[in-house]
Amino acid sequence: MKFKVLILMSGLFFLLAACQSKAAAPIDIKSNEESCTECKMGIEELKSAAQIILEDGKPLLFDDIGCMINYLRQKEPKYEAAFIHDFETEDWIDFDKSTFIQGTFIESPMSYGIAGFVSKEKASQFQKEHGGDMYSKEELLRTDMKSFKSGGMEHDH
């Protein structure tokens, strides 16, 4: 009897697993072959790149987190997932769950100076060592990106 229950439970588990939709994953970006959806510049620094996967599966690529923020604020697209690179590990991480530090000392292609971190603790540790202002995703979406522009390089979308 226990054996039959085990087989039924295993079958149910595999059935449920098969019914779940596949979560969106970041796509590989080819350096110097892809362009930013927002500013149209070529994506050269992959560690600064960001991306949105729309609900229909179409990826939108960005050369800077600031460009992605501008796009989200202006277009308000419905997306399945969004990804940025963790500033320390350079691994793709979930944009919606990330914490951000902004500072003029953080280099980024369009000079927004935004670094993303996998956790608030990691961002706080970085902030203690280097300075900068901490933001949640929601706070970034309410912030005027023009105020982030660091010395000299003005880029207007």
Side-chain angles (χ1 to χ4, degrees), residues 31-48:
S31 180
N32 296 313
E33 291 182 29
E34 312 274 6
S35 295
C36 179
T37 299
E38 178 70 7
C39 72
K40 310 301 184 224
M41 298 287 291
I43 299 174
E44 295 178 15
E45 296 179 36
L46 295 179
K47 68 180 182 176
S48 298

Side-chain angles (χ1 to χ4, degrees), residues 22-153:
K22 184 179 176 189
I27 67 162
D28 288 332
I29 298 175
K30 297 172 188 86
S31 180
N32 296 313
E33 291 182 29
E34 312 274 6
S35 295
C36 179
T37 299
E38 178 70 7
C39 72
K40 310 301 184 224
M41 298 287 291
I43 299 174
E44 295 178 15
E45 296 179 36
L46 295 179
K47 68 180 182 176
S48 298
Q51 60 182 284
I52 298 170
I53 309 298
L54 298 175
E55 287 182 339
D56 66 3
K58 179 184 176 187
L60 301 178
L61 309 178
F62 303 89
D63 65 342
D64 192 302
I65 294 171
C67 285
M68 186 169 79
I69 296 291
N70 280 331
Y71 186 88
L72 288 169
R73 288 182 66 193
Q74 294 167 12
K75 308 284 188 196
E76 299 181 4
K78 299 212 182 291
Y79 63 89
E80 186 174 339
F83 302 97
I84 60 165
H85 284 102
D86 180 86
F87 190 74
E88 294 176 327
T89 66
E90 297 185 17
D91 292 334
W92 285 113
I93 58 175
D94 186 340
F95 166 72
D96 293 328
K97 297 177 182 174
S98 299
T99 302
F100 305 87
I101 299 293
Q102 191 283 326
T104 56
F105 59 91
I106 297 171
E107 292 185 21
S108 67
M110 301 313 299
S111 301
Y112 288 105
I114 302 170
F117 296 86
V118 72
S119 69
K120 188 173 183 177
E121 293 76 26
K122 294 281 187 183
S124 181
Q125 182 180 352
F126 178 87
Q127 184 184 39
K128 285 177 186 170
E129 294 174 19
H130 304 283
D133 297 314
M134 187 180 304
Y135 295 87
S136 67
K137 175 195 98 170
E138 292 77 17
E139 291 168 332
L140 270 184
L141 289 171
R142 290 190 306 263
T143 303
D144 178 14
M145 290 286 106
K146 289 180 183 177
S147 68
F148 286 174
K149 289 294 198 169
S150 60
M153 186 175 183

